[in-house]
Amino acid sequence: MDMAWSALGISLKVAGCATAISLVLGVGVGFLLARAHFPGRDLLDTVLTLPMVMPPTVLGYYLLVLIGRRGWLGGWLQETFGINLIFTWQGAVIAATVVAFPLVFKPARAAFEAVDGQLEQAARVLGIPEIGVFFRVTLPLAWRGILAGVLLAFARALGEFGATLMVAGSIPGKTQTLSVAVYEAVQAGQDEVANVLVLITSVVCLVVLMAAGRLAPGRIASK
Amino acid sequence: MELEIDIRKTLRSGKRNFHLDVRLRTHSRRIVIYGPSGSGKSLTLKAIAGLMRPDDGCIRLGGVTLFDSAAGVDLAPQSRQVGYLFQDYALFPHLTVRQNIGFGLAGGWRNPSPERRHEAVDYWLEAFKLEPMAHQFPDELSGGQRQRTALARALVAHPRALLLDEPFAALDPALRARMRAELDELQRRLEVPMVLITHDEDDVAVFGDHVSCLRDGRIADPGTDCSEALLHDAAD
Protein backbone atom coordinates (compact mmCIF):
# COMPACT_ATOMS: atom_id res chain seq x y z
CA MET A 1 0.00 0.00 0.00
CA ASP A 2 3.04 2.26 0.52
CA MET A 3 3.52 2.13 -3.20
CA ALA A 4 0.01 3.54 -3.75
CA TRP A 5 0.70 6.55 -1.56
CA SER A 6 4.13 7.18 -3.07
CA ALA A 7 2.50 7.02 -6.53
CA LEU A 8 -0.09 9.57 -5.37
CA GLY A 9 2.72 11.79 -4.06
CA ILE A 10 4.63 11.62 -7.35
CA SER A 11 1.44 12.24 -9.32
CA LEU A 12 0.57 15.35 -7.29
CA LYS A 13 4.14 16.62 -7.51
CA VAL A 14 4.35 16.10 -11.28
CA ALA A 15 0.84 17.43 -11.97
CA GLY A 16 1.37 20.40 -9.64
CA CYS A 17 4.63 21.45 -11.32
CA ALA A 18 3.19 20.88 -14.80
CA THR A 19 0.12 22.98 -13.92
CA ALA A 20 2.22 25.82 -12.51
CA ILE A 21 4.37 25.92 -15.67
CA SER A 22 1.25 25.69 -17.86
CA LEU A 23 -0.33 28.56 -15.94
CA VAL A 24 2.56 30.96 -16.49
CA LEU A 25 3.12 29.95 -20.13
CA GLY A 26 -0.60 29.64 -20.87
CA VAL A 27 -1.46 33.11 -19.56
CA GLY A 28 1.47 34.62 -21.48
CA VAL A 29 0.76 32.84 -24.75
CA GLY A 30 -3.02 33.27 -24.38
CA PHE A 31 -2.58 37.02 -23.91
CA LEU A 32 -0.16 37.24 -26.83
CA LEU A 33 -2.53 35.39 -29.16
CA ALA A 34 -5.51 37.45 -27.99
CA ARG A 35 -3.86 40.85 -28.44
CA ALA A 36 -0.89 40.73 -30.78
CA HIS A 37 -1.38 40.54 -34.51
CA PHE A 38 1.51 38.90 -36.28
CA PRO A 39 1.94 36.60 -39.25
CA GLY A 40 1.69 32.95 -38.30
CA ARG A 41 -0.58 33.62 -35.32
CA ASP A 42 -3.14 31.01 -36.37
CA LEU A 43 -0.38 28.52 -37.15
CA LEU A 44 1.13 29.00 -33.68
CA ASP A 45 -2.30 28.49 -32.10
CA THR A 46 -2.80 25.28 -34.09
CA VAL A 47 0.64 23.86 -33.29
CA LEU A 48 0.20 24.56 -29.58
CA THR A 49 -3.27 22.94 -29.64
CA LEU A 50 -1.91 19.80 -31.32
CA PRO A 51 -1.15 17.97 -28.03
CA MET A 52 -4.90 17.97 -27.33
CA VAL A 53 -5.60 15.75 -30.31
CA MET A 54 -2.38 13.84 -30.89
CA PRO A 55 -1.89 10.40 -29.31
CA PRO A 56 0.23 10.83 -26.16
CA THR A 57 2.64 8.16 -27.40
CA VAL A 58 3.39 10.29 -30.45
CA LEU A 59 4.06 13.24 -28.17
CA GLY A 60 6.27 11.01 -26.05
CA TYR A 61 8.23 10.06 -29.14
CA TYR A 62 8.67 13.70 -30.12
CA LEU A 63 9.89 14.47 -26.62
CA LEU A 64 12.39 11.60 -26.75
CA VAL A 65 13.71 12.97 -30.03
CA LEU A 66 14.00 16.42 -28.46
CA ILE A 67 15.19 15.84 -24.90
CA GLY A 68 16.50 12.27 -25.11
CA ARG A 69 20.18 11.58 -24.44
CA ARG A 70 20.93 11.89 -28.13
CA GLY A 71 18.18 14.43 -28.81
CA TRP A 72 18.79 17.99 -30.02
CA LEU A 73 18.18 19.62 -26.68
CA GLY A 74 18.90 16.59 -24.47
CA GLY A 75 22.35 16.02 -25.97
CA TRP A 76 23.26 19.64 -25.39
CA LEU A 77 21.97 19.61 -21.80
CA GLN A 78 23.92 16.40 -21.13
CA GLU A 79 27.16 17.76 -22.56
CA THR A 80 26.95 21.28 -21.13
CA PHE A 81 25.37 20.79 -17.72
CA GLY A 82 25.36 17.01 -17.27
CA ILE A 83 21.58 17.13 -17.02
CA ASN A 84 19.58 14.09 -18.03
CA LEU A 85 15.79 14.31 -18.14
CA ILE A 86 14.92 10.81 -19.33
CA PHE A 87 13.61 8.48 -16.58
CA THR A 88 13.38 11.35 -14.07
CA TRP A 89 10.33 12.97 -12.48
CA GLN A 90 11.36 16.23 -14.11
CA GLY A 91 11.00 14.46 -17.44
CA ALA A 92 7.49 13.44 -16.39
CA VAL A 93 6.76 17.11 -15.63
CA ILE A 94 7.78 18.09 -19.16
CA ALA A 95 5.56 15.38 -20.65
CA ALA A 96 2.59 16.39 -18.50
CA THR A 97 3.15 20.09 -19.28
CA VAL A 98 3.04 19.56 -23.03
CA VAL A 99 -0.23 17.68 -22.70
CA ALA A 100 -1.86 20.05 -20.17
CA PHE A 101 -0.70 23.37 -21.61
CA PRO A 102 -3.39 23.71 -24.35
CA LEU A 103 -6.07 23.36 -21.67
CA VAL A 104 -4.77 26.57 -20.07
CA PHE A 105 -3.89 28.74 -23.03
CA LYS A 106 -7.08 28.03 -25.00
CA PRO A 107 -9.48 29.27 -22.31
CA ALA A 108 -6.98 32.00 -21.36
CA ARG A 109 -7.03 33.34 -24.92
CA ALA A 110 -10.84 33.24 -24.99
CA ALA A 111 -11.04 34.95 -21.59
CA PHE A 112 -8.65 37.72 -22.64
CA GLU A 113 -10.58 38.25 -25.86
CA ALA A 114 -13.79 38.60 -23.85
CA VAL A 115 -12.41 41.44 -21.70
CA ASP A 116 -14.00 44.75 -22.72
CA GLY A 117 -11.21 46.78 -24.33
CA GLN A 118 -12.88 49.99 -23.20
CA LEU A 119 -12.11 49.15 -19.57
CA GLU A 120 -8.41 48.92 -20.42
CA GLN A 121 -8.65 52.24 -22.24
CA ALA A 122 -10.34 53.78 -19.20
CA ALA A 123 -7.41 52.62 -17.06
CA ARG A 124 -4.88 54.06 -19.51
CA VAL A 125 -6.57 57.46 -19.56
CA LEU A 126 -6.43 57.40 -15.74
CA GLY A 127 -2.65 57.23 -16.05
CA ILE A 128 -2.07 53.55 -15.24
CA PRO A 129 0.98 52.09 -17.04
CA GLU A 130 0.48 49.05 -19.29
CA ILE A 131 1.76 46.56 -16.70
CA GLY A 132 -0.72 47.96 -14.17
CA VAL A 133 -3.54 47.77 -16.72
CA PHE A 134 -2.78 44.06 -17.17
CA PHE A 135 -2.58 43.15 -13.49
CA ARG A 136 -5.36 45.46 -12.23
CA VAL A 137 -7.95 45.21 -15.02
CA THR A 138 -7.27 42.57 -17.68
CA LEU A 139 -6.12 39.66 -15.52
CA PRO A 140 -8.76 40.03 -12.76
CA LEU A 141 -11.53 40.12 -15.38
CA ALA A 142 -10.15 37.08 -17.25
CA TRP A 143 -9.22 35.18 -14.11
CA ARG A 144 -12.30 32.95 -13.76
CA GLY A 145 -11.97 31.59 -17.26
CA ILE A 146 -8.25 30.99 -16.78
CA LEU A 147 -8.71 29.26 -13.43
CA ALA A 148 -11.27 26.84 -14.86
CA GLY A 149 -8.70 25.91 -17.53
CA VAL A 150 -6.00 25.51 -14.89
CA LEU A 151 -8.09 22.98 -12.95
CA LEU A 152 -8.78 20.99 -16.10
CA ALA A 153 -5.08 21.09 -16.91
CA PHE A 154 -4.31 19.75 -13.44
CA ALA A 155 -6.76 16.90 -13.91
CA ARG A 156 -5.32 16.13 -17.32
CA ALA A 157 -1.74 16.22 -16.01
CA LEU A 158 -2.76 13.88 -13.19
CA GLY A 159 -4.11 11.37 -15.67
CA GLU A 160 -1.19 11.57 -18.11
CA PHE A 161 -0.04 8.11 -19.13
CA GLY A 162 1.38 7.61 -22.62
CA ALA A 163 3.89 10.43 -22.94
CA THR A 164 4.93 10.08 -19.29
CA LEU A 165 5.61 6.37 -19.67
CA MET A 166 7.76 6.91 -22.74
CA VAL A 167 9.78 9.79 -21.29
CA ALA A 168 9.99 8.94 -17.59
CA GLY A 169 9.33 5.22 -17.54
CA SER A 170 7.83 3.47 -14.51
CA ILE A 171 10.29 3.44 -11.64
CA PRO A 172 8.37 2.83 -8.37
CA GLY A 173 8.98 5.59 -5.86
CA LYS A 174 10.74 7.72 -8.45
CA THR A 175 8.76 8.24 -11.64
CA GLN A 176 5.80 5.90 -11.26
CA THR A 177 2.64 8.03 -11.22
CA LEU A 178 -0.85 6.87 -10.26
CA SER A 179 -2.03 6.20 -13.79
CA VAL A 180 1.12 4.26 -14.64
CA ALA A 181 0.92 2.36 -11.33
CA VAL A 182 -2.64 1.26 -12.15
CA TYR A 183 -1.44 -0.23 -15.41
CA GLU A 184 1.48 -2.00 -13.69
CA ALA A 185 -0.76 -3.36 -10.93
CA VAL A 186 -3.27 -4.79 -13.39
CA GLN A 187 -0.49 -6.32 -15.51
CA ALA A 188 0.94 -7.97 -12.39
CA GLY A 189 -2.49 -9.27 -11.33
CA GLN A 190 -2.51 -7.19 -8.09
CA ASP A 191 -6.21 -6.43 -8.18
CA GLU A 192 -6.34 -5.11 -4.63
CA VAL A 193 -3.63 -2.50 -5.30
CA ALA A 194 -5.31 -1.54 -8.57
CA ASN A 195 -8.63 -1.01 -6.75
CA VAL A 196 -7.07 1.38 -4.24
CA LEU A 197 -5.17 3.30 -6.96
CA VAL A 198 -8.27 3.65 -9.11
CA LEU A 199 -10.33 4.84 -6.15
CA ILE A 200 -7.76 7.48 -5.17
CA THR A 201 -7.48 8.73 -8.75
CA SER A 202 -11.26 8.93 -9.15
CA VAL A 203 -11.72 10.93 -5.95
CA VAL A 204 -8.98 13.42 -6.86
CA CYS A 205 -10.38 13.92 -10.39
CA LEU A 206 -13.93 14.30 -9.05
CA VAL A 207 -12.84 17.04 -6.64
CA VAL A 208 -10.96 18.90 -9.39
CA LEU A 209 -13.89 18.74 -11.81
CA MET A 210 -16.35 19.93 -9.19
CA ALA A 211 -14.11 22.88 -8.40
CA ALA A 212 -13.79 23.71 -12.09
CA GLY A 213 -17.54 23.45 -12.59
CA ARG A 214 -18.19 25.92 -9.78
CA LEU A 215 -15.79 28.44 -11.28
CA ALA A 216 -17.21 28.49 -14.79
CA PRO A 217 -20.66 26.97 -14.99
CA GLY A 218 -21.69 26.14 -18.52
CA ARG A 219 -18.21 26.25 -19.92
CA ILE A 220 -17.28 22.86 -18.48
CA ALA A 221 -20.70 21.33 -18.88
CA SER A 222 -20.72 22.01 -22.61
CA LYS A 223 -17.46 20.15 -23.16
CA MET B 1 -7.56 76.86 -22.17
CA GLU B 2 -6.92 76.64 -25.84
CA LEU B 3 -7.89 73.59 -27.82
CA GLU B 4 -6.60 73.12 -31.31
CA ILE B 5 -7.43 70.08 -33.40
CA ASP B 6 -6.36 69.50 -36.97
CA ILE B 7 -6.42 65.80 -37.78
CA ARG B 8 -7.12 63.34 -40.53
CA LYS B 9 -7.81 59.63 -40.32
CA THR B 10 -9.02 57.03 -42.79
CA LEU B 11 -10.80 53.95 -41.50
CA ARG B 12 -11.64 50.94 -43.61
CA SER B 13 -14.38 48.53 -42.74
CA GLY B 14 -15.16 46.08 -45.49
CA LYS B 15 -15.52 47.99 -48.73
CA ARG B 16 -16.48 51.26 -47.06
CA ASN B 17 -13.98 53.95 -46.29
CA PHE B 18 -14.57 56.58 -43.67
CA HIS B 19 -12.57 59.79 -43.81
CA LEU B 20 -12.26 61.89 -40.71
CA ASP B 21 -11.09 65.44 -41.30
CA VAL B 22 -11.52 67.63 -38.26
CA ARG B 23 -10.32 71.20 -37.76
CA LEU B 24 -11.27 73.04 -34.63
CA ARG B 25 -9.72 75.92 -32.73
CA THR B 26 -11.24 77.57 -29.70
CA HIS B 27 -10.49 79.30 -26.40
CA SER B 28 -13.82 78.31 -24.95
CA ARG B 29 -14.09 76.24 -21.75
CA ARG B 30 -17.29 74.58 -22.84
CA ILE B 31 -16.97 72.93 -26.21
CA VAL B 32 -19.66 70.81 -27.81
CA ILE B 33 -19.09 68.71 -30.88
CA TYR B 34 -22.50 68.02 -32.28
CA GLY B 35 -23.41 65.53 -34.96
CA PRO B 36 -25.45 62.43 -35.80
CA SER B 37 -24.17 58.98 -34.87
CA GLY B 38 -21.50 57.75 -37.27
CA SER B 39 -20.25 61.27 -37.96
CA GLY B 40 -16.91 60.68 -36.23
CA LYS B 41 -17.58 62.40 -32.89
CA SER B 42 -16.31 59.53 -30.77
CA LEU B 43 -13.20 59.14 -32.95
CA THR B 44 -12.40 62.82 -32.44
CA LEU B 45 -12.77 62.53 -28.68
CA LYS B 46 -10.64 59.36 -28.65
CA ALA B 47 -7.96 61.17 -30.62
CA ILE B 48 -7.77 63.88 -27.93
CA ALA B 49 -7.41 61.24 -25.21
CA GLY B 50 -4.80 59.28 -27.18
CA LEU B 51 -7.02 56.24 -27.67
CA MET B 52 -7.04 56.68 -31.44
CA ARG B 53 -4.00 57.68 -33.44
CA PRO B 54 -4.73 60.00 -36.38
CA ASP B 55 -2.96 59.43 -39.71
CA ASP B 56 -1.61 62.96 -39.58
CA GLY B 57 -2.18 66.38 -38.11
CA CYS B 58 -1.83 67.82 -34.64
CA ILE B 59 -3.72 68.20 -31.36
CA ARG B 60 -2.83 70.85 -28.79
CA LEU B 61 -4.48 71.38 -25.45
CA GLY B 62 -3.67 74.38 -23.26
CA GLY B 63 -0.32 74.96 -24.94
CA VAL B 64 0.76 71.31 -24.68
CA THR B 65 1.19 69.37 -27.90
CA LEU B 66 -0.52 66.01 -27.42
CA PHE B 67 -0.05 64.83 -30.97
CA ASP B 68 1.88 66.18 -33.91
CA SER B 69 2.63 63.84 -36.79
CA ALA B 70 5.08 66.26 -38.40
CA ALA B 71 7.15 66.60 -35.22
CA GLY B 72 6.74 62.92 -34.29
CA VAL B 73 4.92 63.73 -31.04
CA ASP B 74 2.35 61.23 -29.79
CA LEU B 75 1.86 61.33 -26.02
CA ALA B 76 0.60 58.10 -24.47
CA PRO B 77 -2.92 58.30 -23.03
CA GLN B 78 -1.26 57.91 -19.61
CA SER B 79 0.58 61.23 -19.94
CA ARG B 80 -2.21 63.38 -21.41
CA GLN B 81 -3.86 64.05 -18.03
CA VAL B 82 -7.38 64.25 -19.35
CA GLY B 83 -10.54 62.93 -17.74
CA TYR B 84 -12.73 60.75 -19.96
CA LEU B 85 -16.35 59.90 -19.35
CA PHE B 86 -17.24 56.93 -21.53
CA GLN B 87 -20.73 56.64 -22.94
CA ASP B 88 -21.58 53.60 -20.84
CA TYR B 89 -19.17 54.80 -18.13
CA ALA B 90 -16.72 51.86 -18.36
CA LEU B 91 -16.67 51.35 -14.60
CA PHE B 92 -14.48 48.46 -13.47
CA PRO B 93 -17.00 45.71 -12.66
CA HIS B 94 -14.66 43.90 -10.25
CA LEU B 95 -14.05 46.98 -8.08
CA THR B 96 -16.26 48.81 -5.59
CA VAL B 97 -17.39 52.42 -6.04
CA ARG B 98 -14.60 53.57 -3.71
CA GLN B 99 -11.97 51.54 -5.60
CA ASN B 100 -13.27 52.80 -8.93
CA ILE B 101 -13.03 56.45 -7.91
CA GLY B 102 -9.56 56.00 -6.44
CA PHE B 103 -8.31 53.85 -9.32
CA GLY B 104 -6.05 56.45 -10.91
CA LEU B 105 -4.62 57.64 -7.57
CA ALA B 106 -2.99 54.31 -6.76
CA GLY B 107 0.19 53.29 -8.52
CA GLY B 108 1.66 49.82 -8.62
CA TRP B 109 0.49 46.48 -9.95
CA ARG B 110 -2.27 45.86 -7.43
CA ASN B 111 -5.62 47.47 -6.84
CA PRO B 112 -5.92 49.23 -3.49
CA SER B 113 -7.98 47.30 -0.94
CA PRO B 114 -11.67 48.28 -0.60
CA GLU B 115 -10.88 49.58 2.91
CA ARG B 116 -8.11 51.93 1.86
CA ARG B 117 -9.25 55.52 2.36
CA HIS B 118 -8.11 58.53 0.42
CA GLU B 119 -9.00 62.13 1.16
CA ALA B 120 -9.84 63.03 -2.44
CA VAL B 121 -12.00 59.92 -2.82
CA ASP B 122 -13.88 60.75 0.38
CA TYR B 123 -14.48 64.25 -0.92
CA TRP B 124 -16.11 63.03 -4.11
CA LEU B 125 -18.10 60.31 -2.37
CA GLU B 126 -19.61 63.03 -0.21
CA ALA B 127 -20.03 65.59 -2.98
CA PHE B 128 -21.93 63.09 -5.13
CA LYS B 129 -23.84 61.51 -2.21
CA LEU B 130 -22.25 58.15 -2.97
CA GLU B 131 -21.12 57.34 0.59
CA PRO B 132 -23.85 54.74 1.20
CA MET B 133 -22.77 52.92 -1.99
CA ALA B 134 -19.02 53.15 -1.38
CA HIS B 135 -18.73 49.38 -0.95
CA GLN B 136 -21.11 48.39 -3.71
CA PHE B 137 -20.16 47.20 -7.16
CA PRO B 138 -21.13 49.06 -10.37
CA ASP B 139 -23.83 46.56 -11.36
CA GLU B 140 -25.64 47.32 -8.09
CA LEU B 141 -25.96 51.05 -8.86
CA SER B 142 -28.66 53.10 -10.57
CA GLY B 143 -27.89 54.93 -13.82
CA GLY B 144 -27.36 58.27 -12.10
CA GLN B 145 -25.10 56.76 -9.43
CA ARG B 146 -23.05 55.07 -12.12
CA GLN B 147 -22.57 58.34 -13.93
CA ARG B 148 -21.56 60.14 -10.74
CA THR B 149 -19.06 57.40 -9.94
CA ALA B 150 -17.56 57.67 -13.43
CA LEU B 151 -17.43 61.47 -13.16
CA ALA B 152 -15.75 61.29 -9.77
CA ARG B 153 -13.22 58.80 -11.11
CA ALA B 154 -12.40 61.16 -13.97
CA LEU B 155 -12.21 64.30 -11.80
CA VAL B 156 -10.38 62.98 -8.76
CA ALA B 157 -6.93 63.48 -10.26
CA HIS B 158 -7.61 67.07 -11.40
CA PRO B 159 -7.50 66.52 -15.17
CA ARG B 160 -6.52 69.37 -17.48
CA ALA B 161 -9.73 68.81 -19.43
CA LEU B 162 -12.82 66.64 -19.16
CA LEU B 163 -13.91 64.71 -22.24
CA LEU B 164 -17.51 63.50 -22.26
CA ASP B 165 -18.86 60.95 -24.75
CA GLU B 166 -22.66 61.29 -24.98
CA PRO B 167 -22.86 61.61 -21.19
CA PHE B 168 -26.65 61.52 -20.92
CA ALA B 169 -27.59 59.09 -23.69
CA ALA B 170 -27.86 56.12 -21.32
CA LEU B 171 -30.25 57.89 -18.92
CA ASP B 172 -34.03 58.19 -19.00
CA PRO B 173 -35.40 61.68 -19.87
CA ALA B 174 -36.21 62.87 -16.32
CA LEU B 175 -32.84 61.82 -14.97
CA ARG B 176 -31.16 63.24 -18.05
CA ALA B 177 -32.39 66.76 -17.27
CA ARG B 178 -31.25 66.46 -13.65
CA MET B 179 -27.79 65.14 -14.47
CA ARG B 180 -27.40 67.82 -17.12
CA ALA B 181 -28.08 70.53 -14.53
CA GLU B 182 -25.70 68.81 -12.11
CA LEU B 183 -22.88 68.73 -14.65
CA ASP B 184 -23.57 72.32 -15.65
CA GLU B 185 -23.22 73.47 -12.03
CA LEU B 186 -20.16 71.27 -11.47
CA GLN B 187 -18.33 72.59 -14.50
CA ARG B 188 -18.96 76.21 -13.51
CA ARG B 189 -17.70 75.53 -9.98
CA LEU B 190 -14.56 73.58 -10.99
CA GLU B 191 -13.91 75.64 -14.10
CA VAL B 192 -12.54 72.50 -15.72
CA PRO B 193 -12.50 72.84 -19.50
CA MET B 194 -14.74 70.29 -21.13
CA VAL B 195 -15.31 68.81 -24.56
CA LEU B 196 -18.70 67.16 -24.87
CA ILE B 197 -19.87 65.19 -27.88
CA THR B 198 -23.57 64.63 -28.40
CA HIS B 199 -26.39 64.19 -30.89
CA ASP B 200 -28.85 65.76 -28.45
CA GLU B 201 -29.56 69.44 -29.10
CA ASP B 202 -30.55 70.02 -25.47
CA ASP B 203 -26.90 69.39 -24.60
CA VAL B 204 -25.89 71.98 -27.17
CA ALA B 205 -28.24 74.53 -25.59
CA VAL B 206 -26.80 74.03 -22.09
CA PHE B 207 -23.10 73.45 -22.74
CA GLY B 208 -22.41 74.87 -26.16
CA ASP B 209 -20.29 77.99 -25.62
CA HIS B 210 -18.43 76.80 -28.66
CA VAL B 211 -20.28 74.43 -30.98
CA SER B 212 -18.74 72.47 -33.83
CA CYS B 213 -20.95 70.48 -36.14
CA LEU B 214 -19.60 67.23 -37.43
CA ARG B 215 -21.05 65.51 -40.47
CA ASP B 216 -19.66 62.52 -42.30
CA GLY B 217 -16.31 63.02 -40.64
CA ARG B 218 -16.03 66.73 -41.42
CA ILE B 219 -16.50 69.82 -39.31
CA ALA B 220 -18.72 72.37 -40.98
CA ASP B 221 -16.89 75.59 -41.76
CA PRO B 222 -15.91 77.24 -38.51
CA GLY B 223 -18.03 80.26 -37.77
CA THR B 224 -21.11 79.03 -39.60
CA ASP B 225 -24.24 78.70 -37.59
CA CYS B 226 -25.10 75.20 -36.50
CA SER B 227 -28.80 75.84 -36.30
CA GLU B 228 -29.35 74.63 -39.82
CA ALA B 229 -27.74 71.33 -38.98
CA LEU B 230 -29.73 71.21 -35.76
CA LEU B 231 -33.00 71.82 -37.53
CA HIS B 232 -32.13 69.36 -40.21
CA ASP B 233 -31.36 66.71 -37.63
CA ALA B 234 -34.55 67.34 -35.71
CA ALA B 235 -36.52 66.72 -38.89
CA ASP B 236 -34.95 63.28 -39.40
Side-chain angles (χ1 to χ4, degrees), chain B residues 35-99:
Chain B
S37 56
S39 59
K41 301 187 302 280
S42 287
L43 278 177
T44 308
L45 206 64
K46 285 200 162 79
I48 302 174
L51 301 175
M52 187 278 281
R53 189 197 161 99
D55 294 334
D56 70 271
C58 67
I59 300 170
R60 280 183 255 280
L61 180 69
V64 178
T65 302
L66 303 179
F67 176 80
D68 188 341
S69 58
V73 177
D74 184 12
L75 289 188
Q78 283 91 341
S79 5
R80 296 196 179 194
Q81 293 174 292
V82 294
Y84 198 111
L85 190 73
F86 290 84
Q87 187 171 352
D88 47 12
Y89 312 134
L91 295 172
F92 304 116
H94 58 301
L95 301 177
T96 64
V97 168
R98 178 181 285 282
Q99 287 174 303

Side-chain angles (χ1 to χ4, degrees), chain A residues 9-212:
Chain A
I10 293 166
S11 273
L12 291 176
K13 179 170 74 176
V14 168
C17 290
T19 309
I21 297 170
S22 297
L23 170 65
V24 175
L25 290 179
V27 166
V29 172
F31 186 70
L32 185 78
L33 288 172
R35 294 302 155 86
H37 296 270
F38 54 91
R41 186 170 71 139
D42 291 339
L43 184 68
L44 181 63
D45 188 303
T46 308
V47 169
L48 292 173
T49 311
L50 223 46
M52 265 168 91
V53 290
M54 270 210 299
T57 45
V58 175
L59 288 175
Y61 185 81
Y62 273 131
L63 283 175
L64 283 179
V65 170
L66 187 67
I67 62 169
R69 261 168 247 250
R70 276 169 296 166
W72 304 335
L73 195 59
W76 178 77
L77 282 174
Q78 181 76 59
E79 275 175 32
T80 320
F81 302 105
I83 294 173
N84 165 47
L85 291 166
I86 303 304
F87 296 123
T88 64
W89 73 269
Q90 288 92 339
V93 169
I94 293 176
T97 304
V98 170
V99 173
F101 169 71
L103 290 163
V104 180
F105 102 81
K106 276 279 177 190
R109 177 181 178 176
F112 283 129
E113 280 172 350
V115 171
D116 182 359
Q118 194 166 268
L119 295 173
E120 294 167 342
Q121 294 197 329
R124 287 188 192 108
V125 175
L126 288 166
I128 306 301
E130 292 301 322
I131 189 99
V133 174
F134 179 77
F135 281 106
R136 294 174 61 183
V137 178
T138 316
L139 195 58
L141 291 175
W143 187 239
R144 274 172 80 94
I146 295 171
L147 206 54
V150 165
L151 285 168
L152 283 183
F154 183 74
R156 179 67 186 83
L158 209 57
E160 218 314 290
F161 179 81
T164 307
L165 193 60
M166 288 184 72
V167 173
S170 172
I171 307 166
K174 195 168 165 238
T175 67
Q176 194 181 68
T177 59
L178 271 179
S179 40
V180 175
V182 171
Y183 176 78
E184 297 279 0
V186 173
Q187 287 295 301
Q190 301 167 308
D191 288 357
E192 218 171 293
V193 177
N195 283 341
V196 174
L197 289 167
V198 165
L199 204 67
I200 294 173
T201 311
S202 304
V203 169
V204 174
C205 286
L206 198 68
V207 169
V208 172
L209 263 188
M210 274 165 61

Side-chain angles (χ1 to χ4, degrees), chain B residues 83-214:
Chain B
Y84 198 111
L85 190 73
F86 290 84
Q87 187 171 352
D88 47 12
Y89 312 134
L91 295 172
F92 304 116
H94 58 301
L95 301 177
T96 64
V97 168
R98 178 181 285 282
Q99 287 174 303
N100 262 284
I101 296 175
F103 190 86
L105 298 173
W109 293 17
R110 295 188 53 199
N111 287 310
S113 95
E115 306 305 325
R116 171 105 164 266
R117 298 180 76 90
H118 195 290
E119 217 173 290
V121 177
D122 284 337
Y123 169 81
W124 284 106
L125 281 172
E126 200 201 326
F128 280 162
K129 301 183 178 61
L130 287 166
E131 281 158 326
M133 297 94 199
H135 288 285
Q136 287 182 351
F137 290 91
D139 62 354
E140 299 166 319
L141 302 178
S142 72
Q145 290 163 351
R146 257 177 233 176
Q147 180 166 64
R148 289 195 193 101
T149 306
L151 256 180
R153 184 181 70 179
L155 290 170
V156 77
H158 304 290
R160 303 198 305 123
L162 184 59
L163 312 177
L164 305 118
D165 185 351
E166 305 262 6
F168 312 109
L171 305 174
D172 62 69
L175 189 59
R176 194 177 299 166
R178 209 173 79 211
M179 295 305 294
R180 197 179 276 131
E182 222 172 80
L183 181 66
D184 183 27
E185 188 272 325
L186 185 73
Q187 193 278 331
R188 286 181 197 284
R189 186 156 53 83
L190 298 176
E191 296 192 320
V192 57
M194 61 179 232
V195 182
L196 185 149
I197 62 171
T198 184
H199 65 266
D200 186 338
E201 51 193 289
D202 292 343
D203 293 340
V204 179
V206 176
F207 299 106
D209 288 0
H210 173 102
V211 184
S212 285
C213 295
L214 198 56

